[in-house]
Amino acid sequence: MKEHIFLSSPQMSAEGYEQEFIQEAFDTNWIAPLGKNVTEFELEMAEKLGVKKAVALSAGTAAIHMALKAVGVKQGDIVFCQSLTFSATANPITYEKADPVFIDSDERTWNMSVSALQKAFEKYEKAGKKPKAVIVVHLYGLCAAIEEIAALCKRYDVPLIEDAAESLGTKYKNRYTGTFGDYGIISFNGNKIITTSGGGMLLVNTEDAEEKANKVLFWATQAREPARWYQHKEVGYNYRMSNIVAGIGRGQLKVLDQRVEKKRYIYAYYREHIGDLPGLEFMPLLEEGYSNCWLTTIQLSDHCDVKPLDIMLALEQDDIESRPVWKPMHLQPVFANCDFISDMNDLQIVDAETGADNSVAGTLFRRGVCIPSDTKLTDEDLDRICSVIKQLWRK
């Protein structure tokens, strides 16, 4: 029996850093959503990335929700959101009964199109509506055109939220993603580049960062007022990270740079060994960026005889995990009534089975495959994966 190969699974440090912090939490009996590990994890992450404040929460989704509340999103507001992403980016907009307006990607970055974002600003300005926030994503660890997007948000005086859930360790012009906007989002889900088994963090980089971070802490701990009894003037949430989980995170943060190096090695290995297959292209790495290559993702030309499903089925038959590129939010049934802004003038469905259209985001979804990028992969594992893929071109 061949050993199963995961797409991206957790890897604890060989040095056992995580266990040391967890043991300390047990020894001091601080296992609840309070304790030294939570405080230190926030400080260490803020220092590592160069932001003013960081708040450790139960999930990246919770961090997005708190960012939206922090910028004042309410019922009836609109939020511009990247379409090509996981649903966790967009779902919290609906928690506050606001309306997402989805923005297409560009081919150069695979992330939010600057020109489509400009188009969205102009359209809604003419309608007398100003978005309450813009959510940009650094998909699969790839840098968005973040300086241009941040400049556009500044021009229209709209807060920018960076969903850097997949891009911890990625840099744009030597500055970490998640630090360009007013708020940044980190995820520590089990498949992320470092993990706490679950959990996330909100990065706060506003002028009043301490005040905003304290307000988020208040909301995240059930919005309990400072009274002797249980007093609540606002709706709160149970979003705080536990001291045990934070201990895992502190240990994982020590090996973040190693994990990024391995992810980049995996990407380079694939490029060397399957990069010359006709019709196969790799995700773009910007010259001005330094990607963590969280998931190596390929695209297959429409003229290629091999299709994305062929690759996924062949890998599956060899007990190897893969998956499609995220299906864009504007194509999801739950968001069918939401506006979508694209540079494409003639949008139409081109794949009846998946519902993919000819937008940039729809095309990337239709043509894309995420291939194994687990940091525990050996060269033998990588050769096995490449052999399965190359065999499809020999048929």
Side-chain angles (χ1 to χ4, degrees), residues 25 49 104 140 146 154 162 172-173 178 197 202 214 280 390 393:
L49 300 183
D104 202 0
Y140 300 128
I146 191 62
K154 186 175 182 180
E162 282 181 83
Y172 183 89
K173 294 185 179 179
S197 75
L202 178 64
N214 287 338
L280 187 150
K390 286 189 286 189
W393 267 258

Side-chain angles (χ1 to χ4, degrees), residues 12 17-19 21-22 37-38 40-42 44-45 56 168 188 194-199 201 241-256:
M12 296 296 101
Y17 296 129
E18 300 87 352
Q19 192 60 50
F21 291 121
I22 292 171
N37 282 335
V38 176
E40 292 299 314
F41 191 27
E42 291 171 338
E44 290 160 4
M45 185 64 75
L168 180 59
F188 306 116
I194 64 171
T195 182
T196 60
S197 75
M201 194 166 285
M241 180 181 285
S242 82
N243 203 45
I244 296 295
V245 167
I248 301 173
R250 293 183 70 191
Q252 286 274 285
L253 188 56
K254 288 179 175 290
V255 295
L256 172 60

Side-chain angles (χ1 to χ4, degrees), residues 100-381:
V101 172
F102 294 111
I103 311 296
D104 202 0
S105 296
D106 64 46
E107 294 177 350
R108 188 177 80 92
T109 68
W110 285 18
N111 289 305
M112 185 178 283
S113 163
V114 176
S115 55
L117 178 61
Q118 173 71 62
K119 189 175 177 180
F121 274 121
E122 292 171 355
K123 174 180 177 178
Y124 279 87
E125 186 176 50
K126 287 179 182 177
K129 294 183 179 180
K130 181 179 177 180
K132 204 72 175 184
V134 171
I135 305 178
V136 65
V137 183
H138 300 287
L139 192 75
Y140 300 128
L142 304 175
C143 302
I146 191 62
E147 280 190 338
E148 296 171 80
I149 290 169
L152 201 52
C153 290
K154 186 175 182 180
R155 187 192 315 166
Y156 283 91
D157 191 29
V158 173
L160 175 61
I161 298 169
E162 282 181 83
D163 185 347
E166 301 173 359
S167 68
L168 180 59
T170 291
K171 296 179 182 179
Y172 183 89
K173 294 185 179 179
N174 211 36
R175 181 174 167 184
Y176 285 108
T177 55
T179 70
F180 290 82
D182 300 276
Y183 298 91
I185 312 301
I186 304 295
S187 171
F188 306 116
N189 192 28
N191 61 3
K192 296 302 188 290
I193 194 157
I194 64 171
T195 182
T196 60
S197 75
M201 194 166 285
L202 178 64
L203 310 177
V204 187
N205 222 14
T206 59
E207 290 295 328
D208 56 348
E210 185 165 358
E211 180 183 339
K212 291 294 188 184
N214 287 338
K215 188 64 177 179
V216 167
L217 277 173
F218 172 72
W219 287 324
T221 49
Q222 301 290 16
R224 182 183 174 188
E225 298 290 336
R228 184 177 294 276
W229 52 89
Y230 290 91
Q231 179 92 343
H232 304 274
K233 297 179 182 178
E234 298 182 57
V235 172
Y237 308 87
N238 186 17
Y239 279 170
R240 201 69 165 112
M241 180 181 285
S242 82
N243 203 45
I244 296 295
V245 167
I248 301 173
R250 293 183 70 191
Q252 286 274 285
L253 188 56
K254 288 179 175 290
V255 295
L256 172 60
D257 294 341
Q258 295 175 32
R259 299 290 180 263
V260 173
E261 287 178 13
K262 182 59 184 285
K263 292 279 191 179
R264 290 176 62 84
Y265 173 84
I266 291 167
Y267 174 85
Y269 190 101
Y270 283 134
R271 286 209 71 128
E272 180 181 351
H273 290 83
I274 60 173
D276 60 349
L277 294 175
L280 187 150
E281 301 171 359
F282 281 83
M283 62 189 191
L285 301 187
L286 298 185
E287 289 184 8
E288 61 269 40
Y290 181 84
S291 175
N292 71 1
C293 296
W294 173 58
L295 288 185
T296 293
T297 303
I298 57 175
Q299 288 276 302
L300 299 178
S301 165
D302 287 334
H303 303 293
C304 184
D305 290 334
V306 178
K307 305 303 177 187
L309 184 58
D310 297 331
I311 291 180
M312 288 184 275
L313 290 176
L315 291 172
E316 186 178 300
Q317 191 170 8
D318 208 71
D319 206 14
I320 300 169
E321 280 189 309
S322 63
R323 74 177 180 203
V325 166
W326 300 122
K327 183 174 182 178
M329 293 301 99
H330 77 278
L331 298 176
Q332 297 288 353
V334 68
F335 295 120
N337 295 323
C338 296
D339 194 9
F340 174 58
I341 310 295
S342 173
D343 291 318
M344 302 287 295
N345 294 320
D346 183 25
L347 285 174
Q348 52 188 306
I349 301 297
V350 295
D351 186 333
E353 183 178 3
T354 63
D357 62 14
N358 61 334
S359 66
V360 173
T363 301
L364 292 171
F365 158 59
R366 181 171 54 83
R367 296 173 54 200
V369 181
C370 302
I371 54 180
S373 305
D374 196 300
T375 52
K376 299 183 294 301
L377 290 174
T378 64
D379 283 2
E380 290 75 16
D381 294 329

